[in-house]
Amino acid sequence: MDSKLINGLYCKKGNVEWKNVTIGLNVEQFAKELIRLKDVAAENRGFLNIDICTSKDGQKLYAILNDFKPIPKEQVTATEHSPDRDNVPF
């Protein structure tokens, strides 16, 4: 995927203390974006994770696709974890 920016989703800082972010959607652009990201969602049980980020100057908010995938952990047996366990002196 070439762009992590989410097209058609626009973020602004909330205008009262209890509202952190206001999100505006351009329905046409966002509908196309959802179609573009359909395969990504299919890999994640139908979900997309979107992060709301702040620009370096702290003035603007923007939305990006969070495509983090944890590295699968290998199963390790007890013998592999502690191969010398049979030689414990007690």
Side-chain angles (χ1 to χ4, degrees):
M1 176 157 316
D2 51 18
S3 174
K4 285 187 164 193
L5 287 175
I6 303 297
N7 295 317
L9 193 149
Y10 303 94
C11 307
K12 294 188 286 186
K13 292 182 181 180
N15 54 2
V16 290
E17 71 179 50
W18 48 267
K19 189 186 316 181
N20 297 322
V21 177
T22 296
I23 296 176
L25 295 174
N26 178 309
V27 174
E28 290 292 323
Q29 286 181 348
F30 194 63
K32 289 177 185 175
E33 190 70 351
L34 288 175
I35 291 167
R36 181 179 79 94
L37 296 171
K38 188 175 181 178
D39 292 339
V40 175
E43 295 172 5
N44 295 300
R45 298 178 288 145
F47 285 87
L48 292 173
N49 292 315
I50 298 173
D51 293 336
I52 307 301
C53 302
T54 305
S55 62
K56 288 181 183 179
D57 65 7
Q59 299 301 309
K60 294 184 180 183
L61 298 174
Y62 60 97
I64 62 168
L65 177 67
N66 177 336
D67 59 358
F68 173 77
K69 291 184 178 120
I71 299 171
K73 295 180 181 177
E74 292 183 28
Q75 292 290 343
V76 179
T77 64
T79 305
E80 292 171 334
H81 182 67
S82 300
D84 58 344
R85 188 170 183 107
D86 290 337
N87 298 330
V88 177
F90 48 89

